Amino acid sequence: MLEPLNEGFLSRISDLLLCRWTCRHCCQKCYESSCCQSSEDEVEILGPFPAQTPPWLLASRSSDKDGNSVHTASEVPLTPRTNSPDRRCSSSDTSKSTYSLTRRISSLDSRRPSSPLIDIKPIEFGVLSAKKEPIQPSVLRRTYTPDDYFRKFEPRLYSLGSNSDDVDFLTDAEILSKYQLGMLHFSTQYDLLHNHLTVRVIEARDLPPPISHDGARQDMAHSNPYVKICLLPDQKNSKQTGVKRKTQKPVFEERYTFEIPFLEAQRRTLLLTVLDFDKFSRHCVIGKVAVPLCEVDLVKGGHWWKALIPSSQNEVELGELLLSLNYLPSAGRLNVDVIRAKQLLQTDVSQGSDPFVKIQLVHGLKLVKTKKTSFLRGTIDPFYNESFSFKVPQEELENASLVFTVFGHNMKSSNDFIGRIVIGQYSSGPSESNHWRRMLSAHRTAVEQWHSLRSRAECDRVSPASLEVT
């Protein structure tokens, strides 16, 4: 019968079972080793958190630091050895039982999936550099109260009495009381069968008295109103009513159609501008009405009375002119085609205008030649399709200028000036200069371009050639 195991052997077995740190190279001979290698062997972590280090491992490490020799299991006996036969038998049985226990532990360890090896190194915390930078005190920020934020607002920018044209929040009665520009009656209807929008200008009322900008107006008691209609953002394809003489309550009753798809019409804004005609002065803008067509039922249609609001466009457009230029170097000929004009300023109250175009060739500052088209009666959108040719040698081409002036024909008095442009050496604007450069770079090829007409004063200010013609 075996002797009971001593307490030292039981304590080491319990430490071996409770220890969560095992050496990789001494698993089979853990009992024979008195301690685990602390620095050379790899350490395997068997759980998410390491357990407390066994006391026998700490004792072994402390003994290494003190310079003591490491004893193995063969040098440090677990039990006192004697030469008696009973002691030998007891020691042999103990070795066998211990070896079987070690084999069981090794088999369990081989069945367990291997865990990753982690090289644990000590982490040192300290100052990265010897020089310490002084810590700046944090700046104390001012705490704002709600009253401080409201002091930043400027009430005048949000008041209805500001100079902005934002009148979306005003009723028609408030707009009429504020601006006193009168009201306009009109209607809209979209025809899905023919894909066009019909705008009917019916009447206006309570229009203000006329304003003279240059003192040349004779009748200061009555206006000569007419209405210009366009679908923004396209202001070129506009329509305009006839002029109603000497009245502040004009009745128009005129219809105009715009060929436009239904979906595109819903993206447009209907702009109606009421103007005051004056034969001896420039026309004045009385007011305007802007209606986004997405806000109305175009198919059902409807009519409205809308109060006029001020317009930022004080200058009235004089119209546009389509020209074609071509130069033949071999023949030394400058060919000019006057194709058409559109939306010319109306010069006659009763029958619109009888427009024609005068073309004048200026060499340097000297008038050389004058030609003109025929006049077309009662229209502001004339089609001419007339060609003219001027003899200009190639060496004189760079000093040449063409002055185009649109007049309204008048049988009883002098012709009425409508607008002017200058193309060539002394061009009246960037558009005219661009047309001249394109013509010079494209010999023997006609170059067409639309031009917006300018006032006589504007042309005289920027082009010396305009001063040389009448």
Side-chain angles (χ1 to χ4, degrees):
M1 184 173 182
L2 297 176
E3 297 180 0
L5 299 177
N6 57 13
E7 296 180 359
F9 175 77
L10 294 177
S11 63
R12 291 202 175 191
I13 292 300
S14 63
D15 290 341
L16 176 64
L17 296 177
L18 295 177
C19 178
R20 301 175 67 179
W21 300 75
T22 61
C23 296
R24 190 175 185 86
H25 300 293
C26 59
C27 182
Q28 299 291 340
K29 301 179 180 180
C30 187
Y31 177 76
E32 299 177 1
S33 302
S34 61
C35 66
C36 298
Q37 303 296 327
S38 59
S39 60
E40 297 179 357
D41 296 335
E42 295 178 351
V43 179
E44 182 179 11
I45 299 177
L46 301 182
F49 300 99
Q52 187 176 1
T53 307
W56 58 269
L57 183 59
L58 293 177
S60 174
R61 291 182 178 179
S62 60
S63 62
D64 292 342
K65 293 181 181 180
D66 295 339
N68 298 329
S69 60
V70 179
H71 301 280
T72 61
S74 60
E75 296 175 351
V76 181
L78 297 177
T79 56
R81 295 184 178 180
T82 57
N83 296 328
S84 61
D86 297 337
R87 293 293 183 182
R88 292 177 182 176
C89 182
S90 175
S91 176
S92 176
D93 296 338
T94 302
S95 299
K96 291 180 181 180
S97 61
T98 303
Y99 179 72
S100 62
L101 180 61
T102 304
R103 290 186 61 183
R104 291 180 182 180
I105 294 176
S106 300
S107 63
L108 291 176
D109 184 69
S110 61
R111 294 177 185 178
R112 179 182 52 83
S114 60
S115 301
L117 300 179
I118 301 178
D119 186 12
I120 300 177
K121 296 181 180 180
I123 302 176
E124 296 181 358
F125 297 92
V127 182
L128 297 178
S129 61
K131 183 179 179 180
K132 297 183 179 180
E133 297 181 359
I135 300 176
Q136 298 293 335
S138 59
V139 180
L140 296 178
R141 296 186 177 182
R142 177 184 173 186
T143 57
Y144 288 92
T145 61
D147 295 336
D148 295 332
Y149 289 100
F150 286 109
R151 291 192 191 101
K152 298 180 181 180
F153 290 107
E154 298 183 18
R156 63 181 179 83
L157 298 179
Y158 303 91
S159 63
L160 296 177
S162 61
N163 296 327
S164 63
D165 292 335
D166 189 9
V167 291
D168 297 337
F169 302 101
L170 295 179
T171 63
D172 289 328
E174 293 173 339
I175 295 175
L176 182 62
S177 175
K178 180 179 180 179
Y179 298 110
Q180 298 181 359
L181 296 177
M183 301 189 73
L184 182 64
H185 190 197
F186 62 96
S187 67
T188 60
Q189 177 79 44
Y190 190 85
D191 189 349
L192 290 175
L193 183 61
H194 300 92
N195 290 328
H196 67 254
L197 176 68
T198 302
V199 179
R200 177 188 172 201
V201 182
I202 304 173
E203 61 180 320
R205 69 184 183 190
D206 301 329
L207 298 180
I211 300 175
S212 178
H213 295 278
D214 51 11
R217 190 181 184 97
Q218 297 179 353
D219 187 3
M220 296 299 297
H222 302 91
S223 299
N224 301 313
Y226 65 98
V227 181
K228 198 169 186 178
I229 309 107
C230 66
L231 298 178
L232 297 179
D234 183 13
Q235 297 188 16
K236 302 299 182 182
N237 299 321
S238 60
K239 316 285 185 180
Q240 72 179 43
T241 67
V243 179
K244 303 303 176 181
R245 300 183 61 184
K246 297 183 179 182
T247 178
Q248 309 306 117
K249 299 179 180 180
V251 178
F252 299 102
E253 284 293 347
E254 299 183 24
R255 297 173 183 265
Y256 301 93
T257 59
F258 295 87
E259 301 291 337
I260 184 173
F262 179 73
L263 294 179
E264 180 64 23
Q266 290 184 316
R267 302 187 186 101
R268 300 295 186 92
T269 298
L270 175 63
L271 177 65
L272 301 103
T273 307
V274 182
L275 302 102
D276 184 15
F277 172 86
D278 185 12
K279 182 176 181 179
F280 303 100
S281 178
R282 63 189 178 98
H283 299 190
C284 301
V285 179
I286 298 176
K288 68 177 182 179
V289 173
V291 179
L293 297 182
C294 61
E295 299 178 358
V296 300
D297 190 345
L298 295 178
V299 178
K300 182 180 179 180
H303 60 89
W304 303 271
W305 277 98
K306 290 291 185 179
L308 298 175
I309 62 175
S311 175
S312 58
Q313 181 184 359
N314 294 324
E315 294 289 338
V316 179
E317 294 183 358
L318 303 178
E320 293 185 276
L321 187 63
L322 179 60
L323 302 172
S324 175
L325 301 179
N326 178 27
Y327 183 72
L328 301 176
S330 58
R333 307 296 297 185
L334 178 60
N335 299 323
V336 178
D337 295 336
V338 180
I339 303 174
R340 59 168 296 195
K342 66 179 181 180
Q343 295 303 307
L344 297 178
L345 184 67
Q346 190 167 338
T347 58
D348 192 284
V349 175
S350 58
Q351 58 180 5
S353 299
D354 300 330
F356 68 94
V357 182
K358 181 187 286 188
I359 308 101
Q360 296 169 292
L361 175 63
V362 178
H363 183 266
L365 297 178
K366 182 181 178 180
L367 178 61
V368 178
K369 195 72 174 179
T370 299
K371 297 183 180 183
K372 63 180 180 180
T373 67
S374 59
F375 66 90
L376 302 179
R377 293 186 179 274
T379 179
I380 60 174
D381 300 302
F383 285 83
Y384 297 105
N385 289 323
E386 299 184 24
S387 300
F388 305 91
S389 181
F390 297 91
K391 184 173 179 58
V392 181
Q394 189 171 4
E395 61 272 10
E396 298 179 1
L397 185 61
E398 60 181 9
N399 297 324
S401 298
L402 290 172
V403 181
F404 298 86
T405 308
V406 183
F407 290 96
H409 181 71
N410 195 329
M411 295 291 294
K412 299 179 181 179
S413 61
S414 60
N415 296 324
D416 302 317
F417 178 88
I418 296 179
R420 173 179 291 174
I421 61 169
V422 182
I423 301 177
Q425 180 187 13
Y426 299 110
S427 296
S428 55
S431 176
E432 293 85 339
S433 298
N434 181 50
H435 194 181
W436 185 257
R437 288 193 299 268
R438 290 172 57 203
M439 186 269 297
L440 294 178
S441 61
H443 292 317
R444 305 179 184 276
T445 304
V447 180
E448 294 183 4
Q449 185 171 322
W450 280 99
H451 297 278
S452 297
L453 296 176
R454 305 174 186 270
S455 64
R456 188 196 303 267
E458 183 180 358
C459 290
D460 292 346
R461 185 172 62 252
V462 299
S463 176
S466 178
L467 297 172
E468 302 300 322
V469 300
T470 57

